[in-house]
Amino acid sequence: MTLSESELAARPTESSRLGGTVRVRDVSKVFGQRGDTTVALNRISLDVPSGAFVALVGASGCGKSTLLNLIAGLEKPTLGDVTLNGRCALIFQEAALFPWMTVAQNVSLALKLRGVPRRERAGIVAELLETVHLQDFAGHQPHELSGGMRQRVAIARAFAQEAEVLLMDEPFGALDAMTRDLLHDELERLWLDRGFTCVFVTHNVREAVRLADRVEVLTSRPGTIAETFEVPFARPRRIEDPEVAALAGVITTRLRQEVRSHATE
Amino acid sequence: MPLSDDQGVAVKVLDQELSGLDALAAQVGSARSTPARVWSAIWPKVAAIVLGLSIWQAIVWSGWKPEYALPPPGPVFRALWQGLLDGSILNGASLTLRRAVVGYSIALVVGIVIGLAVARVKVLRIAFGSLITGIQTMPSIAWFPLAILLFQLSESAILFVVVIGAAPAIANGMIAGADNVPPLLLRAGRMLDAKGFTLWRYVILPASLPTFVSGMKQGWAFAWRSLLAGELLVIIKGTPSLGVQLQVARDFADAPALLAVMIVILVVGILADAFVFGALERSVRRRFGLTDSAI
Ligand SMILES: Nc1ncnc2c1ncn2[C@@H]1O[C@H](COP(=O)(O)OP(=O)(O)OP(=O)(O)O)[C@@H](O)[C@H]1O
Ligand SMILES: [Mg+2]
């Protein structure tokens, strides 16, 4: 099952849709005071064009979360420039929903803080919850939902922010395999539909190949881009597609080589 | 974007699979019936009361103290009944409770204002942070001599000590709550563009609610203790508060009346704790999903 030519052409890569851009230039990030410092990122550069889906993979501690925080503006780079065009939303590994609010109120708060008038909010919230198939859970508290459902609420909230760049930090890392597969399908569908730009951090190379147009392999600490892999396969994809598995194998080999090179140093 | 047939079907299948998983994952409410729950909550308490009364009776029977000093439950409950009938207990309890509510309300306002100021303003935090904890550790009875100097033997002296006993605990609850907001929620708030006042209004204050309610509860315990100590120390003529009744019963060596008033004080304390503060705490914890659903 593949998309027809005309549908691919209709894919909203033009600026009319919600695709922001990210430009990271020679960025370094050092944590800590003098004497006791960690270089998390070393002169990393990254360009994410409008509507692209880029995955970042790398060993634990190589600075992936740091990079997303820099792009999101939660941290300032020590050196270099980060340029973000468009509104962005960051989705964490654990859905950072407010536990005292219902699902609908969580989504609605994003609208409210954006200045959307009260009478318009309910309609938009209902629409967004339908988009992530959670219309029946509007009145639930986050703790009454499963981890996968919470992540979908977080995605709905990101849409409520009208995020043009969706930054995702191992968003499905804590989920079981079946839920994760479904959320891959869901995320791909939403991305095809809405045309936002996505930067997706993961430990899981298969997941990266399943979802992204482009997979960036980061070096171990201090992090920088080791190699870029294009993923030319047609969509929608499945994680068990043989070409996905084959490319994931190649990238994993590259990643291991990267980690090994560190051990011998 | 119009969907092709294939895609339409795929979306529908995805929809079904997701809602299937959701239905499996979503929590289902507990199915235990209400009478069963009420019974399982009540019988241990009833058993504890019966046990307590038996031990009391057994001590009296053992002849450890003469009955005019330690009467058995029978005469005490008769005295209690008598006090309920002639209205003296209700009068006393309502006077004492009114003082408690007034003093506690003032403490709540003072505690919240100080707590907010200290939590928000760094200089104030450095200046007063440890002082507040220090005042909290000070036994409130030590304030009475000063209170009597300042306000003479008046209700204001009692209220002063009640406020000073309760307000630091409330302020501390506020400060600790604001300090312990999970960083993840702060970052989520900042991602929603909430800064400064907006961040406080929509993230920090609600997130600190469970800790604040614990502080409120602790503040109530301090207020109640200070109040009874105050009513015993600061005797105001013509006000038959519970503390005064206790004192009078001792002066007349009326042990059954004395124990009856003590029981009233105990019961009022338990009721306030369970039905006001306990209920508040439980509802907040339930709201936040902090309760174990098995309990
Ligand atoms: N606030 C901080 N203060 C000090 N060091 C930090 C801070 N945040 C991150 N680091 C360090 O920077 C390095 C990169 O951290 P980061 O969280 O970005 O890694 P990561 O690639 O996301 O790892 P993981 O895959 O385990 O999530 C780590 O060595 C970490 O210890
Ligand atoms: Mg990380």
Side-chain angles (χ1 to χ4, degrees):
Chain A
M1 187 168 56
T2 56
L3 289 180
S4 70
E5 283 294 275
S6 65
E7 275 161 348
L8 277 177
R11 219 179 82 57
T13 44
E14 273 78 38
S15 55
S16 64
R17 299 302 289 263
L18 288 166
T21 61
V22 177
R23 220 174 102 98
V24 175
R25 271 288 154 277
D26 286 328
V27 163
S28 301
K29 178 70 184 177
V30 183
F31 285 109
Q33 308 297 319
R34 74 180 70 88
D36 181 26
T37 58
T38 311
V39 184
L41 293 170
N42 184 26
R43 296 179 60 90
I44 189 168
S45 293
L46 178 71
D47 265 302
V48 185
S50 172
F53 199 131
V54 174
L56 305 177
V57 298
S60 184
C62 72
K64 305 181 293 291
S65 299
T66 305
L67 182 58
L68 286 197
N69 287 340
L70 288 170
I71 296 172
L74 289 175
E75 311 238 20
K76 294 271 158 285
T78 312
L79 284 174
D81 294 312
V82 174
T83 327
L84 175 76
N85 273 316
R87 283 176 297 273
C88 88
L90 177 52
I91 293 184
F92 307 90
Q93 176 166 6
E94 298 285 332
L97 303 175
F98 298 122
W100 55 89
M101 292 178 165
T102 63
V103 164
Q105 286 167 340
N106 265 286
V107 178
S108 186
L109 181 62
L111 297 173
K112 181 175 191 165
L113 294 179
R114 244 183 61 223
V116 176
R118 176 185 294 272
R119 69 201 130 72
E120 291 172 26
R121 281 181 226 148
I124 303 177
V125 168
E127 208 171 285
L128 288 174
L129 288 181
E130 201 154 327
T131 314
V132 295
H133 300 287
L134 283 175
Q135 59 277 20
D136 297 338
F137 294 90
H140 282 57
Q141 300 282 134
H143 65 88
E144 297 170 316
L145 306 181
S146 70
M149 293 159 90
R150 269 179 250 159
Q151 283 302 25
R152 276 145 62 200
V153 179
I155 292 173
R157 181 170 70 179
F159 290 157
Q161 291 175 257
E162 295 221 315
E164 294 150 313
V165 178
L166 198 56
L167 306 170
M168 305 181 91
D169 193 355
E170 299 183 38
F172 307 143
L175 305 180
D176 66 277
M178 181 169 2
T179 307
R180 197 161 56 216
D181 282 356
L182 284 176
L183 290 193
H184 289 158
D185 295 353
E186 175 91 338
L187 179 61
E188 181 174 65
R189 179 181 69 76
L190 291 169
W191 177 72
L192 287 170
D193 227 39
R194 299 186 151 235
F196 54 86
T197 305
C198 193
V199 182
F200 190 101
V201 163
T202 176
H203 276 124
N204 185 331
V205 178
R206 274 228 194 178
E207 177 175 69
V209 177
R210 153 78 184 83
L211 287 170
D213 292 334
R214 205 172 99 200
V215 178
E216 307 276 5
V217 174
L218 270 70
T219 60
S220 302
R221 202 172 47 207
T224 184
I225 305 283
E227 194 169 340
T228 301
F229 294 85
E230 298 292 333
V231 187
F233 315 136
R235 292 179 190 272
R237 300 173 193 152
R238 316 228 60 164
I239 200 153
E240 59 274 354
D241 286 344
E243 70 260 34
V244 169
L247 181 55
V250 174
I251 296 176
T252 304
T253 309
R254 179 71 184 82
L255 203 55
R256 288 208 174 157
Q257 178 192 338
E258 179 51 47
V259 174
R260 243 190 344 266
S261 76
H262 245 259
T264 50
E265 260 171 37
Chain B
M1 183 171 75
L3 296 173
S4 70
D5 279 357
D6 265 8
Q7 253 185 310
V9 170
V11 169
K12 224 173 269 148
V13 169
L14 176 57
D15 196 2
Q16 278 170 2
E17 286 170 340
L18 278 170
S19 47
L21 268 189
D22 292 350
L24 289 172
Q27 260 181 27
V28 209
S30 93
R32 266 169 94 195
S33 67
T34 321
R37 256 209 332 266
V38 170
W39 171 242
S40 72
I42 282 183
W43 79 259
K45 295 189 173 67
V46 173
I49 291 171
V50 170
L51 184 69
L53 291 177
S54 319
I55 292 175
W56 176 4
Q57 181 70 61
I59 293 175
V60 173
W61 276 335
S62 77
W64 173 59
K65 291 283 168 182
E67 280 204 14
Y68 64 80
L70 182 65
V76 171
F77 282 98
R78 259 195 303 282
L80 185 60
W81 185 240
Q82 191 58 44
L84 284 172
L85 285 184
D86 68 19
S88 64
I89 282 183
L90 278 185
N91 273 341
S94 68
L95 174 59
T96 299
L97 264 180
R98 189 184 54 76
R99 286 176 178 165
V101 169
V102 171
Y104 185 71
S105 306
I106 300 172
L108 209 51
V109 173
V110 172
I112 288 174
V113 169
I114 292 178
L116 270 181
V118 170
R120 280 219 66 171
V121 186
K122 202 168 173 190
V123 183
L124 293 181
R125 162 77 58 103
I126 297 167
F128 298 115
S130 48
L131 189 64
I132 292 175
T133 318
I135 290 178
Q136 199 185 329
T137 60
M138 188 150 154
S140 58
I141 202 153
W143 286 96
F144 274 108
L146 177 65
I148 293 170
L149 271 184
L150 292 176
F151 299 101
Q152 288 75 46
L153 289 180
S154 69
E155 195 168 281
S156 305
I158 300 177
L159 291 181
F160 172 77
V161 178
V162 169
V163 170
I164 240 175
I170 295 166
N172 259 338
M174 181 109 239
I175 297 166
D179 281 353
N180 294 325
V181 176
L184 186 64
L185 294 186
L186 288 179
R187 299 207 300 159
R190 282 170 61 200
M191 282 315 299
L192 295 178
D193 268 339
K195 298 184 201 68
F197 175 76
T198 320
L199 191 66
W200 271 82
R201 162 82 179 74
Y202 292 106
V203 182
I204 298 178
L205 285 184
S208 62
L209 203 56
T211 316
F212 177 64
V213 169
S214 301
M216 275 178 70
K217 192 176 172 188
Q218 205 186 5
W220 165 257
F222 281 123
W224 186 238
R225 284 175 213 181
S226 312
L227 176 59
L228 267 298
E231 287 187 344
L232 283 171
L233 280 176
V234 184
I235 305 275
I236 307 163
K237 290 220 175 60
T239 59
S241 63
L242 291 178
V244 169
Q245 290 184 27
L246 214 52
Q247 194 76 322
V248 169
R250 200 203 67 176
D251 291 345
F252 288 92
D254 185 354
L258 192 150
L259 284 167
V261 176
M262 284 181 66
I263 289 175
V264 172
I265 293 170
L266 180 68
V267 168
V268 171
I270 290 175
L271 290 183
D273 204 64
F275 288 100
V276 181
F277 294 95
L280 188 63
E281 200 169 37
R282 271 193 306 279
S283 88
V284 167
R285 292 182 68 82
R286 192 170 318 120
R287 186 84 197 262
F288 277 65
L290 295 170
T291 39
D292 187 345
S293 54
I295 296 170

